[in-house]
Amino acid sequence: MKFGISYSTPHHGVDPGKLVAFARLAEECGFESLYVPEHVVLYPGAAIGPFELPPTLPYADPLDALTFVAAHTERILLGTGVLLLPYHHPVTLAKRLATIDVLSRGRMRLLTVGLGALPGEARAMGVDFAARGRRADEAIDVLRLLWAGGEDGVSHAGEFFDVDRLCSYPKPHGATTLPIHVGGSSRAAARRAGLRGDGFYPGGRLRPEEVAELWELARATAAGAGRDPDALEYTRFGAIDMPDGRVEELAAQGVTRLVVSPSTTEPDELCAFAERFRLRG
């Protein structure tokens, strides 16, 4: 089991010293990865289900924040949880992600993408809320095309993106692509993970039986598309105070990574977790 940790700027704030200290501590404690969430914009009345989001929540740009983290750490992998893919153009996004990966020497390897659940956010970005799933699917294809393409350029003519003989450099560090994990709580997200993803990260507001059903759907979709379902990574949320037996239980379900969300950035909570699960190598 691998263990990641989430730094929620809406909860912990955007003080640069605090972020750096947290990232360095997580790395020292043995966490594999650090995740940062995204919302591009909020507005009064924005809500996800019954939960209203205060419009003043300080969601930092996740890729800028991860670049900053990369400059102050050495080993910890960089993740998004989740990047709202429909609101990013794949041509510029391919460049940004490859650049972070190069500058971090191959640590931008846990990109997790989702669709977003706020119609007002989609309107602000000029995106048709109803079409954001198709837009995300096509964006994944274009990202991989650009990363793999050579000096003759690559072309794509689709519903949302039209590129002609484009060359995108630099390439990811020592690779021709970057892993793309799919996050979400819907059957469509599970199918997207099976068809296009390198991993699946289901949402946290699901009953255990619902999560199990989505994971099986992702695997079945991968197999039906001629992909190896065993190659899919399976990431789940984990509580910082989870009982010891919970890790073994999740591992038996096929989970390969747990991402915990600490209530504080103080060292005690992170160090205690690391000691309990022997994260330090």
Side-chain angles (χ1 to χ4, degrees):
M1 182 72 71
K2 302 167 186 174
F3 290 89
I5 194 162
S6 176
Y7 187 91
S8 174
T9 60
H11 180 73
H12 299 305
V14 293
D15 178 80
K18 192 175 182 180
L19 173 58
V20 166
F22 182 92
R24 285 176 169 168
L25 178 63
E27 183 172 77
E28 178 186 335
C29 286
F31 284 92
E32 174 227 24
S33 47
L34 185 144
Y35 284 73
V36 181
E38 177 177 50
H39 273 294
V40 182
V41 289
L42 296 176
Y43 48 90
I48 299 176
F51 301 100
E52 187 165 330
L53 300 177
T56 56
L57 288 176
Y59 278 93
D61 180 281
L63 299 187
D64 289 342
L66 290 172
T67 303
F68 187 71
V69 165
H72 293 277
T73 55
E74 296 180 358
R75 299 178 305 279
I76 200 161
L77 298 184
L78 311 172
T80 57
V82 297
L83 185 86
L84 303 181
L85 185 56
Y87 310 147
H88 295 266
H89 196 290
V91 172
T92 54
L93 185 60
K95 172 78 72 175
R96 293 183 70 194
L97 290 166
T99 300
I100 297 171
D101 195 59
V102 168
L103 295 179
S104 67
R105 295 184 175 88
R107 289 191 282 146
M108 185 66 248
R109 298 301 168 97
L110 289 172
L111 171 71
T112 307
V113 300
L115 300 188
L118 301 178
E121 193 171 22
R123 283 194 300 272
M125 300 305 296
V127 171
D128 178 1
F129 187 74
R132 71 198 192 286
R134 299 198 310 275
R135 187 182 181 95
D137 290 342
E138 191 175 330
I140 291 173
D141 295 342
V142 174
L143 285 170
R144 290 193 171 126
L145 191 67
L146 289 167
W147 288 326
E151 61 184 19
D152 293 331
V154 295
S155 300
H156 169 90
E159 181 181 2
F160 302 99
F161 308 109
D162 191 349
V163 300
D164 182 32
R165 299 184 62 197
L166 295 188
C167 301
S168 184
Y169 286 84
K171 299 300 182 186
H173 180 73
T176 57
T177 191
L178 292 174
I180 300 176
H181 296 235
V182 175
S185 302
S186 67
R187 292 178 64 82
R191 286 192 293 268
R192 181 170 296 109
L195 286 173
R196 287 179 166 83
D198 296 289
F200 184 43
Y201 191 166
R205 298 190 186 96
L206 296 169
R207 297 190 303 274
E209 61 271 21
E210 292 175 320
V211 178
E213 181 182 338
L214 291 181
W215 175 234
E216 286 307 311
L217 176 58
R219 288 178 54 83
T221 302
R227 307 180 73 211
D228 180 5
D230 292 333
L232 286 177
E233 292 195 56
Y234 186 18
T235 302
R236 291 278 297 274
F237 291 105
I240 195 78
D241 58 351
M242 72 176 74
D244 294 354
R246 179 62 174 157
V247 173
E248 286 74 17
E249 178 185 338
L250 290 169
Q253 297 171 15
V255 176
T256 53
R257 178 181 295 103
L258 287 175
V259 179
V260 299
S261 299
S263 60
T264 176
T265 59
E266 294 303 313
D268 291 352
E269 194 173 51
L270 272 67
C271 292
F273 185 91
E275 291 301 324
R276 281 180 59 210
F277 294 102
R278 296 182 291 277
L279 303 191
R280 299 176 194 264

